[in-house]
Amino acid sequence: MSTLLLRHAALLATFDDHRREIPDGGLFIRDGFIEQVGPTAELPETADEVLDLSGHILLPGLVNTHHHFYQTLTRVVPPAQDANLFNWLKTLYPIWGRMQPEDIYISTQTALAELALSGCTTASDHLYIYPNGSRLDDEIAAALQIGLRLHASRGSMSLGESDGGLPPDSVVEEEDFILQDSLRLIEQYHNPKPGSMTQIVLAPCSPFSVTPELMRQSAVLARQHGVQLHTHLAETQDEEVFCVEQFGHRPLAYMRSLDWVGPDVWFAHSVYTNQAEIAQYAETGCGVAHCPGSNMRLASGIAPIMAMLTAGVKVGIGVDGSASNDGSHLLEEARLALLLSRVGAGLAGASLSGEDSPPLMTARQVLEMATRGGAAVLGRDDIGSLEVGKCADFFALDLNRLDYAGALHDPLAALVFCAPVRADYTVVGGEFVVKEGQMVTLDLPVHIEKHNQAAKRLVGGGKG
Ligand SMILES: [Zn+2]
């Protein structure tokens, strides 16, 4: 039995059902779960470890709902800098095809360190390319080493160029093997219990890189074993054209035809969704991973997130892969969500004052998506808020910093409106991953050198 006491946080934002914001707040934690939440004066006075958070703001750990960790090795690749999704993919597929198992491990550590330093405690990742003996196991091992909760998606690509798909034939896998490996991973790693560190998700990559049959079979397998389903959907106009031409349906209708809707399914992006489709997301319980940075970087468009929230769709935030965002800073992504939503509102008439002017997304709405929203999207009720019985997953930021000077009349909103900063403490299940602004579980200077060497070999083309 071990206990941890947090005291005197300038503000504790719980994101519980009442959205309580508690001045001079704290938490009492036992064995990785929250036993008490409230004003410091009402908490026990001692514990095995005590942390004084005077001058800090304390929030639930952020939840990242979409990523491709391996892409940290291919940020800012020159020929992919100024391309839309399909051209960007065609440039990068052959580079990714050179990855080794070690690259998956290193890049996972990099992405998770970045996430942890931005307040994230749970991340999903979508790995859909397995060259040269790489396995999802390499990623899972790295996540356990770093100490963040991982929803590891067994992604897949089976529809190569010669069959009318987008990826080159050299990076696609046999469907029988994909399903066999999916089952192996579920049996070996999936833990659905409260406090779980590892969950498996089945995630054929996108409508243009797998067959309808693999989508169908993956859904059957996922439901037999109670794991979630995830894919990219309605990301670009190219994809919409592809779906209509190949399958005779818009993307969501295509998913419905494959039995790929329900509370156990979440889609990345969902930029090109109309009002009727948004209503279907809400009705069927499908979740959305909103990735504003990537949608801007690839000129994909503006997802109608306010309309989704109004309709009651579950929405979380995702940084997306680092080749289409180039960073894994979840607080920055939250800020981009707010700003991009307002660009959309401006285009819809918000720059003209009047009664019909659309409401603007607020900082609290964004943080809600990044915490409890993300937890709902990943199908978890043990994370996403600071409440009795939930996992002791949180992050804290020192408010006394240049970035927030002049913004302390509303420190919670400052996290979103002001320039993104690094977390001072990030804790997962009562264990410190970031302490006093430093990674506890990774020697960053050594790691960065290793990562850069791997990236150089990969992009340069050698096996090294
Ligand atoms: Zn993605």
Short mmCIF file of all heavy atoms in Angstrom, two decimals, residues 66 68 232 268-269 320-321, ligand 1:
data_model
loop_
_atom_site.label_atom_id
_atom_site.label_comp_id
_atom_site.label_asym_id
_atom_site.label_seq_id
_atom_site.Cartn_x
_atom_site.Cartn_y
_atom_site.Cartn_z
N HIS A 66 -5.47 10.05 -31.13
CA HIS A 66 -4.99 9.59 -32.44
C HIS A 66 -3.53 9.99 -32.64
O HIS A 66 -3.16 11.15 -32.40
CB HIS A 66 -5.85 10.20 -33.56
CG HIS A 66 -5.54 9.65 -34.92
ND1 HIS A 66 -5.72 8.32 -35.25
CD2 HIS A 66 -5.03 10.23 -36.04
CE1 HIS A 66 -5.36 8.12 -36.51
NE2 HIS A 66 -4.93 9.26 -37.02
N HIS A 68 0.44 8.49 -34.75
CA HIS A 68 1.27 7.45 -35.36
C HIS A 68 2.67 7.74 -34.85
O HIS A 68 3.40 8.55 -35.44
CB HIS A 68 1.22 7.51 -36.90
CG HIS A 68 -0.18 7.61 -37.44
ND1 HIS A 68 -1.03 6.53 -37.47
CD2 HIS A 68 -0.89 8.66 -37.93
CE1 HIS A 68 -2.20 6.91 -37.97
NE2 HIS A 68 -2.15 8.19 -38.25
N HIS A 232 -9.23 5.85 -39.95
CA HIS A 232 -9.32 7.22 -40.48
C HIS A 232 -10.62 7.31 -41.27
O HIS A 232 -10.91 6.41 -42.07
CB HIS A 232 -8.18 7.51 -41.44
CG HIS A 232 -6.82 7.51 -40.81
ND1 HIS A 232 -6.03 6.40 -40.73
CD2 HIS A 232 -6.12 8.51 -40.23
CE1 HIS A 232 -4.88 6.72 -40.12
NE2 HIS A 232 -4.91 8.00 -39.81
N ALA A 268 -10.83 8.83 -36.77
CA ALA A 268 -9.97 10.02 -36.79
C ALA A 268 -10.48 10.97 -37.87
O ALA A 268 -10.91 10.53 -38.94
CB ALA A 268 -8.53 9.62 -37.10
N HIS A 269 -10.47 12.24 -37.56
CA HIS A 269 -10.75 13.36 -38.48
C HIS A 269 -12.23 13.68 -38.67
O HIS A 269 -12.73 14.65 -38.15
CB HIS A 269 -10.05 13.16 -39.82
CG HIS A 269 -8.59 12.92 -39.67
ND1 HIS A 269 -7.76 13.85 -39.07
CD2 HIS A 269 -7.80 11.86 -39.98
CE1 HIS A 269 -6.53 13.36 -39.02
NE2 HIS A 269 -6.53 12.16 -39.56
N ASP A 320 -2.36 13.46 -33.95
CA ASP A 320 -2.10 12.76 -35.21
C ASP A 320 -0.59 12.50 -35.34
O ASP A 320 0.21 12.94 -34.53
CB ASP A 320 -2.64 13.51 -36.43
CG ASP A 320 -2.88 12.57 -37.62
OD1 ASP A 320 -2.52 11.38 -37.54
OD2 ASP A 320 -3.43 13.03 -38.65
N GLY A 321 -0.22 11.77 -36.37
CA GLY A 321 1.18 11.39 -36.55
C GLY A 321 2.08 12.60 -36.75
O GLY A 321 1.66 13.64 -37.24
ZN ZN B 1 -3.73 9.51 -38.72
#
